[in-house]
Amino acid sequence: MPVITYREAVRHALAEELERDPNVVVMGEEVAQFNGAYKVTEGLLARFGPQRIVDTPISEAGFIGVGIGASMLGIRPVMELMFWSFYSVAFDQILNNAANVRYMSGGQIHCPIVIRGPANGGTNVGATHSHTPENVLANHPGVKVVVPSTPADAKGLLKSAIRDNDPVFFLENTMLYGEKGEVPAGEHVVPLGLADVKRAGTDLTIVTYGRSVLHSLAAAEVLEREHKISTEVLDLRTIRPLDFDSVLKSVAKTHRVLIVEEQKPFASVGSQLAYMIQREAFDELDGPIHRLATVDAPAIYSPPVEVEQLPNPRRVLQAALETLA
Amino acid sequence: MSKKPTAKEATTTAAIDHAQAPVNARLTPEERIELFRKMVRIRRFEERSLRAYQAKKIGGFLHLYIGQEAVAVGCCSLMGPHDHVITAYRDHGHAIAVGMDTKPLMAELYGKATGCSKGKGGSMHYFDPSRNFWGGHGIVGGQIPLGAGLAYALKYKGLKGAAMAFMGDGAVNQGAVHEAYNLASLWNLPVVFVIENNGYSMGTSQARSSAGELAQRAAGYDMQWGQCNGHDVYEVRAMMDKFLTLARETGKPSTVEIDTYRYRGHSVADPDNTYRSKQEIEEYRRTRDPIQLFQDKLLAEGVLTPALAEQIDTEARAEADVAADFSEASPFPTPADIQTDVYWEADNPSERRSQGRLFFT
């Protein structure tokens, strides 16, 4: 199976869907002539031309709104946000218009738009560029939220997202763009709302998603090797819809749960998960649910300290041992 | 403080007879009467809805269009098969102008399942994609990028049409509007941005809210622009025909500012006693009412008779009553309906491809 980077996997998904459906348009800042701020869209302009690969001005409310309007008439825009952090200047378009138009029209309209881009900390760019808004987005019924952790998932989930008739918000990670992994060539589609056991185990379940999956897998290695603890790492992949059956299945197996998320703790994805687990699997739990989140402050710039603000293998390991204590 | 010229100050002798504009000269008598009838139907619908509101049949806001009828009717009367409309929350006039049935419109205000949005949208959120009407949007200026997006889709598909993106004078200061202006001009999108200038952004007059001329801002985006009197449906049609044709034929966007006036408060929640005088409102009603002015024109043209005008009015009142009766008799949506029309996939389970939970408790 070909080994490619996460960045290439996203690009392959875009190219294959552009090839498959003439209504797919890629639009965003620097996606065409510049070849992508993070080179995700490199080469697409040369291959598909300026009608399909469209550079926009720095004008997120404007161009996201244009994409939403175009999607109501049957175009399938895949909008790139250079950083998901910039969603705040297009909040009304994304979460009033895209999220609500189907409902407010009594189901007469659907909005098949994808908004994608990186949403992560860890790159020393300070608080304005380090937002992880998956909890904010998923708080809006009508939208779907995807956070892939591996190249194969990035490709397969993006293809599903582009084919989906609801608005899908696809959160990538600049720290993952260079990560490599095996990705099936050609048609490889991963359905939204299906979690994946990235490592099987029997003593502890780590429920996680995005880059925190990698940290959790690294910690699981140490737990196995140094502490003889068998850890199951469950990658949610999609936040909404949520594959909660897989969470329940894993909890029933291990009876101990740690949630790891690159999220500020207040009203996070983990908060929702913890509520649901205690509500639906109370009798399966042998101890309180633990959670490891981003340390609760705006993203710090200082490079070595930012590492300690975010989940990392050392912090996951410590949290896992506390969960089992 | 009002920058709005009073009816006395305004020029009342039109330099041009807009009835002679080709787009109006070719109207048949029946078509002229239909324009008149639509304006009357809008007014009677809205008056009836206000009575229903006062009788506590309608919740939330109710932004009435009374006084502005010639704008929506004039603009929408020019729509071809690939022309589209989007507007803000003062949307009843546009909905009737594009041909929506008044029964589901009234039922939507009553919050009934038979409403045009099944009672899920309310007054500010009317939609009818089958008539190229894309709402009905609640946030000032938020619909304008969507209007540019409709135009983008037309251009992408190679269809000869135009989008009309309506906003009030209060919307021109919103960033989303300016971003849409820039994109539309940069990309040559066939959209006409229509500013319905009724003089007040809620209770703040134009003089107290907006620097400079409103339509002229389009020039900064290298867009053509125009201004016209919105009390004369012929003038609205003449001006809009020019810019719709520009959009359809060349793909170029434009901005048209249409001078109009609302007789009622910003919404029913506006006591309307702080920012303008009763005298100003009365002056407009007396001298510049778009329905009265058009009725006088059609009588002079010999197209309309007093008896027919009376009959049209009677029928419009009856239609509004029928709509209210229909709404009254209709069922409310049920609590089970709260969670339908949220996701396309949930509403089309046989075609669902995703898995997992879409809804949470």
Side-chain angles (χ1 to χ4, degrees):
Chain A
M1 207 183 295
V3 173
I4 60 172
T5 63
Y6 188 110
R7 172 187 287 108
E8 289 166 329
V10 173
R11 185 188 305 145
H12 290 183
L14 291 172
E16 288 172 23
E17 294 306 296
L18 282 157
E19 195 71 59
R20 187 186 60 81
D21 183 349
N23 282 322
V24 174
V25 177
V26 171
M27 204 185 272
E29 294 156 9
E30 312 293 3
V31 297
Q33 195 176 317
F34 194 86
N35 272 322
Y38 283 96
K39 304 298 174 216
V40 170
T41 54
E42 189 166 32
L44 295 182
L45 174 65
R47 184 164 161 201
F48 294 99
Q51 173 91 352
R52 311 286 304 283
I53 314 295
V54 182
D55 275 328
T56 67
I58 300 172
S59 184
E60 286 85 1
F63 75 74
I64 297 279
V66 165
I68 296 165
S71 79
M72 300 191 309
L73 269 185
I75 308 299
R76 303 186 86 91
V78 183
M79 319 295 293
E80 178 171 307
L81 281 174
M82 192 183 294
F83 294 88
W84 257 104
S85 285
F86 304 161
Y87 84 123
S88 54
V89 294
F91 200 97
D92 181 50
Q93 296 302 323
I94 298 171
L95 293 165
N96 251 329
N97 289 341
N100 290 339
V101 73
R102 177 170 183 79
Y103 198 69
M104 294 192 307
S105 66
Q108 296 181 83
I109 297 172
H110 65 279
C111 187
I113 192 170
V114 174
I115 304 176
R116 53 155 290 272
N120 58 281
T123 55
N124 325 132
V125 288
T128 56
H129 285 57
S130 303
H131 290 283
T132 52
E134 57 269 23
N135 57 332
V136 177
L137 299 170
N139 189 249
H140 293 78
V143 313
K144 294 172 179 171
V145 182
V146 183
V147 191
S149 66
T150 67
D153 290 348
K155 180 179 177 184
L157 289 164
L158 184 54
K159 286 169 72 87
S160 286
I162 294 170
R163 298 175 192 188
D164 202 283
N165 280 336
D166 292 309
V168 182
F169 305 148
F170 196 87
L171 281 62
E172 300 160 13
N173 191 312
T174 57
M175 305 286 280
L176 295 179
Y177 280 144
E179 292 286 327
K180 288 184 175 171
E182 287 191 336
V183 180
E187 186 73 349
H188 166 64
V189 179
V190 176
L192 305 187
L194 182 63
D196 185 40
V197 177
K198 288 288 194 282
R199 177 188 176 104
T202 53
D203 301 329
L204 170 69
T205 295
I206 297 181
V207 183
T208 184
Y209 60 90
R211 184 171 170 238
S212 297
V213 171
L214 276 61
H215 299 323
S216 300
L217 288 169
E221 276 293 320
V222 180
L223 286 164
E224 182 81 57
R225 196 170 62 236
E226 297 179 9
H227 301 274
K228 304 285 179 261
I229 292 166
S230 167
T231 306
E232 181 145 303
V233 177
L234 182 68
D235 181 356
L236 292 174
R237 302 199 285 196
T238 304
I239 306 303
R240 189 167 187 155
L242 180 68
D243 179 5
F244 197 65
D245 289 348
S246 289
V247 176
L248 291 174
K249 199 172 144 194
S250 186
V251 173
K253 193 161 90 171
T254 66
H255 312 291
R256 296 276 187 172
V257 182
L258 169 65
I259 298 161
V260 180
E261 56 182 350
E262 189 181 325
Q263 279 262 277
K264 304 292 163 46
F266 195 97
S268 70
V269 171
S271 309
Q272 175 68 20
L273 286 168
Y275 165 74
M276 292 172 73
I277 294 167
Q278 67 80 30
R279 183 72 183 82
E280 298 187 34
F282 189 76
D283 291 338
E284 295 288 356
L285 292 170
D286 286 348
I289 299 162
H290 282 235
R291 174 178 64 172
L292 176 69
T294 302
V295 175
D296 199 16
I300 192 168
Y301 158 67
S302 181
V305 184
E306 191 187 12
V307 174
E308 293 307 313
Q309 185 173 12
L310 302 177
N312 60 42
R314 188 194 59 75
R315 292 187 68 213
V316 176
L317 177 65
Q318 187 185 335
L321 294 172
E322 285 169 9
T323 307
L324 294 167
Chain B
M1 273 309 283
S2 170
K3 186 179 177 179
K4 194 79 188 166
T6 66
K8 272 181 198 157
E9 291 162 356
T11 308
T12 47
T13 50
I16 304 164
D17 183 1
H18 296 282
Q20 300 309 314
V23 72
N24 293 321
R26 65 170 175 256
L27 286 170
T28 65
E30 291 73 26
E31 288 168 335
R32 289 164 205 248
I33 287 169
E34 184 54 27
L35 291 172
F36 176 72
R37 187 191 303 276
K38 273 216 165 130
M39 292 200 284
V40 174
R41 287 175 58 225
I42 292 170
R43 181 158 305 180
R44 296 310 178 211
F45 174 87
E46 294 228 293
E47 288 170 346
R48 185 66 188 82
S49 72
L50 178 59
R51 289 209 301 283
Y53 191 94
Q54 288 160 341
K56 303 198 185 309
K57 301 288 185 185
I58 296 173
F61 296 135
L62 187 69
H63 303 88
L64 297 173
Y65 198 64
I66 298 173
Q68 302 187 202
E69 295 90 345
V71 180
V73 169
C75 293
C76 296
S77 67
L78 298 164
M79 285 171 72
H82 298 304
D83 295 330
H84 294 262
V85 170
I86 191 165
T87 188
Y89 43 78
R90 200 177 303 283
D91 59 353
H92 307 168
H94 306 77
I96 294 173
V98 300
M100 289 178 77
D101 182 356
T102 49
K103 289 194 291 299
L105 294 179
M106 188 71 84
E108 186 64 27
L109 302 180
Y110 278 64
K112 297 299 182 78
T114 54
C116 52
S117 293
K118 304 182 188 170
K120 294 177 175 180
S123 164
M124 301 189 283
H125 309 117
Y126 284 178
F127 295 83
D128 188 349
S130 75
R131 290 183 169 80
N132 295 357
F133 178 53
W134 300 93
H137 293 266
I139 304 298
V140 172
Q143 77 283 6
I144 301 302
L146 303 189
L150 294 168
Y152 186 94
L154 289 171
K155 181 175 180 173
Y156 188 84
K157 293 178 172 182
L159 298 170
K160 203 170 191 177
M164 286 186 273
F166 290 88
M167 69 191 106
D169 47 294
V172 301
N173 300 316
Q174 288 279 42
V177 172
H178 288 263
E179 295 192 28
Y181 277 9
N182 181 56
L183 289 167
S185 186
L186 190 69
W187 291 345
N188 270 333
L189 302 180
V191 53
V192 183
F193 299 108
V194 184
I195 303 166
E196 298 192 58
N197 185 352
N198 64 25
Y200 298 95
S201 52
M202 196 167 161
T204 304
S205 69
Q206 186 183 330
R208 295 174 60 227
S209 58
S210 299
E213 290 291 323
L214 306 189
Q216 197 176 5
R217 294 182 183 184
Y221 296 97
D222 197 23
M223 252 193 291
Q224 294 190 43
W225 56 279
Q227 288 170 305
C228 75
N229 161 24
H231 305 278
D232 174 2
V233 71
Y234 281 151
E235 183 168 343
V236 171
R237 281 171 50 87
M239 175 66 74
M240 285 300 291
D241 179 57
K242 176 181 161 189
F243 288 107
L244 284 169
T245 303
L246 177 79
R248 294 184 198 115
E249 299 296 330
T250 70
K252 286 194 188 305
S254 59
T255 298
V256 176
E257 177 184 350
I258 303 180
D259 189 48
T260 184
Y261 196 79
R262 65 169 152 78
Y263 298 160
R264 297 286 173 173
H266 165 73
S267 77
V268 288
D270 168 15
D272 201 2
N273 57 14
T274 56
Y275 58 90
R276 60 180 182 177
S277 67
K278 293 280 172 265
Q279 189 192 2
E280 179 183 295
I281 303 169
E282 276 317 303
E283 200 64 29
Y284 269 97
R285 276 186 188 278
R286 199 171 57 76
T287 63
R288 303 182 79 183
D289 182 75
I291 296 177
Q292 189 61 52
L293 289 177
F294 196 52
Q295 180 172 324
D296 294 346
K297 276 202 170 76
L298 294 185
L299 288 169
E301 287 176 13
V303 165
L304 193 66
T305 62
L308 181 53
E310 184 67 32
Q311 185 194 330
I312 287 169
D313 191 53
T314 304
E315 286 169 358
R317 287 172 191 273
E319 179 188 353
D321 284 337
V322 166
D325 292 344
F326 169 81
S327 306
E328 192 75 52
S330 293
F332 286 104
T334 66
D337 295 323
I338 294 171
Q339 286 187 313
T340 59
D341 304 311
V342 179
Y343 289 96
W344 182 91
E345 271 202 324
D347 300 334
N348 297 275
S350 66
E351 293 172 74
R352 183 173 175 186
R353 283 193 285 244
S354 79
Q355 304 179 25
R357 297 189 192 180
L358 283 166
F359 295 98
F360 298 84
T361 51

